[in-house]
Amino acid sequence: MPAQRIGGSGDVESAAIVEVLVRDGKITAEQAKRANDSFVTTGVPATAFLLQQKIVRVEDVVAARAKYYNVPFLRLTETAVSPVALGYVDKGLAARYQLLPFNYDNVKQELSVAMANPVDLAAIEFLEKKTGMRIKPFAAIPAEVAEAVETRYEQTLTTEVTAALKEAGGAAGEEVKTINIRKVGEFIREAPIAKIVTTILEFAIKSRASDVHIEPLEDRTRVRYRIDGILHEKLVLPKKIHDSLVSRIKILSDMKIDERRIPQDGRFNFQTDTEEVDLRISTLPTVHGEKVVMRLLKKTGGVPTLVELGLRGRALKNLEEAVLRPHGIILATGPTGSGKTTTLYSLLSRINTIKVNVVTLEDPVEYQIGGVNQVQINPQAGLTFASGLRSFLRQDPNVIMVGEIRDEETVELAVQASLTGHLVFSTLHTNSSAGALPRMLDMHAEPYLLASTITAIVGQRVCRQVCGVCKKPYEPAPEVVMDMKKVLGKLWTPSTSSGQAVQLYRGAGCSECANTGYRGRVGIYEVLPVTEKIGRLILEHAPASEIEKLAIDEGMITMKQDGYLKVVEGITTIEEVLRVAQE
């Protein structure tokens, strides 16, 4: 693959960039000497040599060049782009000069521009004359600029934002006026605001986002998307249209548009050509205006199987055996957003037949499963997890799923349901599977009842998967390999005795994964079956550490071990496992 041209050509500039790379610790003095010698013998600039030999990455060279010229460095893949800023420069001009305007400051009359060559003074001077604004150049990777010019201008809301600003009265930098609440209903139903909301949601579906955050800041409104569990800022809108945007979403969600002092909740459906999503909307008054969070719940597509979620081997076998029992309690544990409910849905789908009466009590009902009686709690009406569970026992159920065990009463009812011959699924917020048992004892559950009713506890987290399109092997540092060997112990399998280097995988970044190197998510699990020995520890009120040690001695694979096994297989990366599973 030919090295990307970074801009600039002379050996003086190239040698200076090499010096910066040495100072930053990106290359050694020996590698710098080889690169500079290459220019003398072959005429290939030192930076081009380093790229050809894959000694440094393109972003390292661009960042070093930016530092040499004292220009800020920017990753366009991680930067939100303002439609108003895009409106100052047309696509043809942006493509010709390889630049992208991404932000503006109306007070300072300043336009921030990402450039493949940030020291192109002729281009900067031309832009200043054309826009009438001061240009603030940023150094960006040429390939990212070219891709952003192609994609951002297609997705832009420039026309809609301009029209919305005009309707709202005035330009982006003016002081925000109060919109007449009687007229706001007419305005927010009009094309510009409706199109902005539609585009925000279409992008959310296209990028597989689970949540959309519309946040008012002091001088602008930012739109962030949670993709594969990580928030990405993708769009910046003028503060002027924030109230209209929120009001449009409130009308769709059947909320009160004139009530801005208290949080509100609502929901609506949104459909594209290929998918339909159920949106749960939450508004929250902040010092700069109302923040909106929209959770996307797909109505199309089935519930994944346990294998698709990432369960396998002994953990899968233990869980399947627990599910086949006619009674008992199976718990899924982990922090918020660790996929506990999805795991329970997979278990329910596995045992959901016409011969079984399955009832669930959830907050909220996230996915609808055919043939399952799903109930959403309503505390205002008196329908809580505890009261609902009490009513469920009169509904002749075989299987009961309780969204979460939160209090003593729910623990007691879940145990009683299990003792009277029901299979009970629930979730608990603990860091590990072993931690669930002391937590339930803290809720005053009787130890002798817990020991006989709980059959299995699943501890879990979710990691981002390496993108299959841009996945590449690399050799990890020796200390990383040492850590993996220590954690995996007898599970360590790579044949390194022959002297071959250990190979792991990571994503280089491509258009499929929005240059993150990750696409999709996979679970890492530990399944703790409550055996006779562990039952004895429960009776003795043993701490979580003791229970976990015994479970490991009996063959349990811990979450971190499961994660490292998936790293060795190239499913995820070491950084992801440490991010979610490091104690």
Side-chain angles (χ1 to χ4, degrees), residues 245-261:
L245 197 62
V246 173
S247 296
R248 168 72 181 164
I249 294 165
K250 280 184 170 182
I251 281 186
L252 292 169
S253 317
D254 284 331
M255 295 185 202
K256 296 175 182 173
I257 62 170
D258 57 342
E259 179 54 84
R260 298 177 182 177
R261 300 162 301 167

Side-chain angles (χ1 to χ4, degrees), residues 513-542:
C513 61
N515 287 292
T516 60
Y518 298 100
R519 183 175 171 83
R521 292 196 284 176
V522 67
I524 58 172
Y525 297 88
E526 60 184 26
V527 176
L528 189 155
V530 178
T531 60
E532 193 179 326
K533 285 183 181 177
I534 286 172
R536 273 192 229 117
L537 289 183
I538 296 170
L539 293 172
E540 294 165 12
H541 285 258

Side-chain angles (χ1 to χ4, degrees), residues 305-312 522-525 562 566:
T305 64
L306 294 172
V307 174
E308 286 168 350
L309 289 176
L311 275 152
R312 69 262 182 93
V522 67
I524 58 172
Y525 297 88
D562 188 36
K566 283 168 180 156

Side-chain angles (χ1 to χ4, degrees), residues 115-180:
M115 303 178 72
N117 184 12
V119 290
D120 186 348
L121 301 178
I124 292 168
E125 189 181 343
F126 177 76
L127 280 184
E128 284 183 339
K129 282 180 182 172
K130 181 169 175 58
T131 61
M133 300 184 87
R134 192 170 76 82
I135 302 299
K136 185 179 180 182
F138 286 74
I141 298 167
E144 287 186 6
V145 175
E147 188 182 342
V149 169
E150 284 304 311
T151 56
R152 297 288 189 169
Y153 278 94
E154 285 173 19
Q155 299 165 356
T156 183
L157 289 166
T158 303
T159 311
E160 287 73 26
V161 170
T162 306
L165 283 169
K166 194 175 176 185
E167 293 287 345
E174 291 178 15
E175 187 184 336
V176 179
K177 300 179 182 72
T178 305
I179 297 170
N180 186 328

Side-chain angles (χ1 to χ4, degrees), residues 189-200:
R189 285 188 181 89
E190 290 175 5
I193 288 293
K195 179 74 181 352
I196 290 169
V197 173
T198 302
T199 306
I200 286 170

Side-chain angles (χ1 to χ4, degrees), residues 53-260:
Q53 298 297 313
K54 296 185 179 175
I55 295 168
V56 291
R57 297 174 300 175
V58 174
E59 51 264 43
D60 296 329
V61 176
V62 177
R65 185 167 187 256
K67 193 175 278 190
Y68 173 61
Y69 284 113
N70 199 24
V71 174
F73 172 60
L74 178 88
R75 289 302 301 266
L76 267 175
T77 52
E78 298 165 7
T79 305
V81 176
S82 162
V84 177
L86 278 180
Y88 282 101
V89 181
D90 63 51
K91 184 180 177 182
L93 203 60
R96 191 193 320 160
Y97 287 113
Q98 281 297 282
L99 53 84
L100 188 87
F102 64 91
N103 202 5
Y104 73 100
D105 187 323
N106 213 64
V107 178
K108 293 181 183 175
Q109 283 290 292
E110 185 177 82
L111 189 67
S112 297
V113 181
M115 303 178 72
N117 184 12
V119 290
D120 186 348
L121 301 178
I124 292 168
E125 189 181 343
F126 177 76
L127 280 184
E128 284 183 339
K129 282 180 182 172
K130 181 169 175 58
T131 61
M133 300 184 87
R134 192 170 76 82
I135 302 299
K136 185 179 180 182
F138 286 74
I141 298 167
E144 287 186 6
V145 175
E147 188 182 342
V149 169
E150 284 304 311
T151 56
R152 297 288 189 169
Y153 278 94
E154 285 173 19
Q155 299 165 356
T156 183
L157 289 166
T158 303
T159 311
E160 287 73 26
V161 170
T162 306
L165 283 169
K166 194 175 176 185
E167 293 287 345
E174 291 178 15
E175 187 184 336
V176 179
K177 300 179 182 72
T178 305
I179 297 170
N180 186 328
I181 207 70
R182 290 187 185 128
K183 293 181 181 174
V184 80
E186 302 163 25
F187 167 50
I188 61 186
R189 285 188 181 89
E190 290 175 5
I193 288 293
K195 179 74 181 352
I196 290 169
V197 173
T198 302
T199 306
I200 286 170
L201 291 175
E202 282 175 346
F203 182 80
I205 293 170
K206 187 180 170 187
S207 58
R208 304 171 293 104
S210 59
D211 301 85
V212 181
H213 294 237
I214 299 173
E215 300 169 299
L217 305 179
E218 190 176 357
D219 56 345
R220 66 192 191 280
T221 291
R222 72 176 177 186
V223 182
R224 294 194 291 172
Y225 296 87
R226 191 175 291 283
I227 302 166
D228 293 333
I230 306 291
L231 279 171
H232 299 270
E233 189 177 340
K234 294 289 185 184
L235 184 65
V236 175
L237 297 169
K239 184 70 181 289
K240 186 101 177 142
I241 64 171
H242 180 80
D243 286 347
S244 305
L245 197 62
V246 173
S247 296
R248 168 72 181 164
I249 294 165
K250 280 184 170 182
I251 281 186
L252 292 169
S253 317
D254 284 331
M255 295 185 202
K256 296 175 182 173
I257 62 170
D258 57 342
E259 179 54 84
R260 298 177 182 177

Side-chain angles (χ1 to χ4, degrees), residues 451-484:
S452 59
T453 55
I454 295 189
T455 53
I457 305 167
V458 183
Q460 66 181 90
R461 302 286 189 277
V462 280
C463 295
R464 291 182 291 171
Q465 287 190 100
V466 176
C467 174
V469 178
C470 60
K471 182 177 180 178
K472 287 186 178 167
Y474 75 98
E475 196 178 314
E479 55 268 27
V480 171
V481 177
M482 288 289 289
D483 177 53
M484 290 179 75

